[in-house]
Amino acid sequence: FTGTLPPEYGNMKKLKSFRVSSNLISGTLPDSYGNWEHLTHLEVGLTLISGTLPEAYAGCQKMRTVQLQRCQLSGTLPAAW
C-alpha cells in the first residue's frame, strides 16, 4: 500500500486494535485517531510514517500495547499512558 492514513478512520470509535506495517504508507498519524477510546493495541512498523505521536492519543486510555519499530516516528509517548 502507498499513500497516507485517512483521518476518517478516527470515526471508528470502538476500534480495539490498529496495525499498519510492511508497506509504503507515509505522512503522519492523524490526530483524529485519538478518538479511539477502546484502542488497546497500536502497531506501526516498517512504514514511512514520520513525525510524533499526537498528544490527542492520550484519549486512548485503554492502551495496553504499543509497538513502534522501523518507522520514522520520534518524540515521547503521551503522558496518560
Side-chain angles (χ1 to χ4, degrees), residues 1 5 19-27 29 43-50 69-73:
F1 294 100
L5 293 169
R19 178 181 180 208
V20 59
S21 63
S22 301
N23 56 54
L24 296 176
I25 297 288
S26 61
L29 292 170
E43 181 179 341
V44 179
L46 294 168
T47 68
L48 300 176
I49 293 174
S50 61
Q69 47 198 358
R70 296 186 183 180
C71 56
Q72 304 301 313
L73 290 171

Side-chain angles (χ1 to χ4, degrees):
F1 294 100
T2 62
T4 59
L5 293 169
E8 296 81 15
Y9 285 2
N11 295 330
M12 298 185 290
K13 298 185 188 262
K14 294 189 178 190
L15 190 74
K16 293 184 178 182
S17 180
F18 184 72
R19 178 181 180 208
V20 59
S21 63
S22 301
N23 56 54
L24 296 176
I25 297 288
S26 61
T28 60
L29 292 170
D31 287 342
S32 62
Y33 293 8
N35 294 332
W36 293 338
E37 299 171 1
H38 299 280
L39 193 72
T40 59
H41 178 82
L42 174 67
E43 181 179 341
V44 179
L46 294 168
T47 68
L48 300 176
I49 293 174
S50 61
T52 61
L53 281 176
E55 191 56 40
Y57 286 33
C60 304
Q61 295 183 1
K62 295 183 179 185
M63 186 66 68
R64 297 285 181 254
T65 307
V66 178
Q67 295 179 327
L68 308 171
Q69 47 198 358
R70 296 186 183 180
C71 56
Q72 304 301 313
L73 290 171
S74 62
T76 59
L77 297 175
W81 291 353

